[in-house]
Amino acid sequence: MNITTILVAGALTAAATAATAESVSLAGDELRSAVVGKTVFLNVSGFELPIKYAANGRMTGKMSTVAASFSRGDGAADSGKWWVDADQLCQKWSSWMEGKSYCYKLTRNGNAVRWVRNDGRSGTARISG
């Protein structure tokens, strides 16, 4: 078997595995345990925004210096509270997002997450920790 055959076979296997990978909607206790004690890195305008979720319902986020320079002046760091309601991850920042509450439906495929906010906005993230 030559190297080309091995590479093609490997690529086909990887494609088949990716095609059969199943996304799972996170809800209830599964949603809670997916984020408690972890950091969720939101993909925001080409930057990653790390949000740490504590078991006590508090969360903190900190933008990189470059990302903060593009923000609307809400500050490079913020804190707030989070909770699970109706199988959605809800959160309210002290100053970010104008201090409004938003809820998110999360779908997970490994560490990759797709989120849809209750106002229709959507995006991707990854979970670490």
Side-chain angles (χ1 to χ4, degrees), residues 36-50:
V36 167
K38 309 244 177 39
T39 302
V40 176
F41 293 86
L42 293 180
N43 296 319
V44 180
S45 302
F47 299 97
E48 281 194 325
L49 171 62

Side-chain angles (χ1 to χ4, degrees), residues 65-123:
T65 304
V66 175
S69 69
F70 289 108
S71 75
R72 297 183 199 169
D74 292 326
D78 199 6
S79 62
K81 61 182 181 174
W82 72 272
W83 64 98
V84 173
D85 184 34
D87 294 330
Q88 297 180 84
L89 176 64
C90 300
Q91 56 189 41
K92 182 180 185 324
W93 292 100
S94 297
S95 63
W96 288 352
M97 313 285 290
E98 299 175 348
K100 295 179 182 174
S101 296
Y102 289 96
C103 294
Y104 303 80
K105 289 185 183 271
L106 302 181
T107 305
R108 185 176 188 172
N109 189 337
N111 284 339
V113 175
R114 175 154 173 76
W115 55 266
V116 178
R117 197 165 70 187
N118 57 340
D119 65 358
R121 292 198 61 186
S122 63

Side-chain angles (χ1 to χ4, degrees), residues 26 29-36 38-40 106 108 127:
L26 297 175
D29 289 337
E30 185 179 17
L31 174 55
R32 190 173 289 100
S33 63
V35 298
V36 167
K38 309 244 177 39
T39 302
V40 176
L106 302 181
R108 185 176 188 172
I127 299 174

Side-chain angles (χ1 to χ4, degrees), residues 50-62:
I51 302 171
K52 296 180 181 180
Y53 292 88
N56 66 359
R58 303 297 301 163
M59 62 182 182
T60 58
K62 184 172 179 165

